[in-house]
Amino acid sequence: MPTIAEAALGMVGVPFRMHGRDPGIGLDCVGLIGAAMERAGLTPTLPRRYDLRNRSGIEAFLPMAEQSGLKSSRFPPARNDIVLYGLEGFQHHLAVSLGQHRIVHAHAGLRRVLVSTPNNDWRILKVWSVD
């Protein structure tokens, strides 16, 4: 069974699709995390309704990480950790850490899942690891 990072790397190139949950059709950042977790043998609990920009309410989704079997982790994110970033304009974004400041994430602007480094202005809000 692959790790979360290996599973996420296997989805590089999948098209971006808002609220996408199927790698065969498209994924957003939440869908990428869910698909990677499933391929790694976990059962994620994912939100159904959310906006790209969310001034408040992110706290309502945080318990889903624990319900999915994730545990709070320390900084800096290690390989296989799930990272919640705060971006400008009240946007939140999830990614899979590859370690050494590299991530796999669903990029809305470039319209696909890719490997990159987080932008310097992305703030790490939360890190989770698989227990």
Side-chain angles (χ1 to χ4, degrees):
M1 186 143 323
T3 65
I4 290 175
E6 292 167 344
L9 283 167
M11 290 180 269
V12 168
V14 168
F16 177 87
R17 181 176 184 198
M18 184 63 180
H19 297 125
R21 297 291 184 271
D22 183 344
I25 299 171
L27 299 168
D28 65 3
C29 67
V30 174
L32 172 65
I33 299 304
M37 289 179 69
E38 286 175 353
R39 288 182 180 186
L42 300 167
T43 305
T45 301
L46 302 176
R48 299 251 181 241
R49 300 176 136 215
Y50 52 88
D51 294 319
L52 278 177
R53 303 205 184 272
N54 186 355
R55 288 184 182 269
S56 62
I58 192 71
E59 293 80 19
F61 297 122
L62 296 180
M64 292 180 177
E66 187 173 311
Q67 294 165 5
S68 299
L70 300 176
K71 303 292 181 198
S72 288
S73 189
R74 297 184 182 158
F75 295 75
R79 186 176 182 88
N80 295 309
D81 283 350
I82 308 299
V83 185
L84 173 64
Y85 290 98
L87 286 60
E88 68 177 72
F90 303 102
Q91 184 174 344
H92 298 95
H93 189 56
L94 290 167
V96 176
S97 174
L98 298 176
Q100 299 183 358
H101 206 60
R102 295 186 53 203
I103 59 173
V104 179
H105 65 118
H107 195 294
L110 296 176
R111 309 297 298 164
R112 69 180 187 282
V113 174
L114 53 84
V115 175
S116 70
T117 57
N119 292 351
N120 289 333
D121 60 341
W122 292 9
R123 297 177 333 268
I124 296 176
L125 301 177
K126 189 81 175 157
V127 179
W128 295 278
S129 63
V130 177
D131 193 21

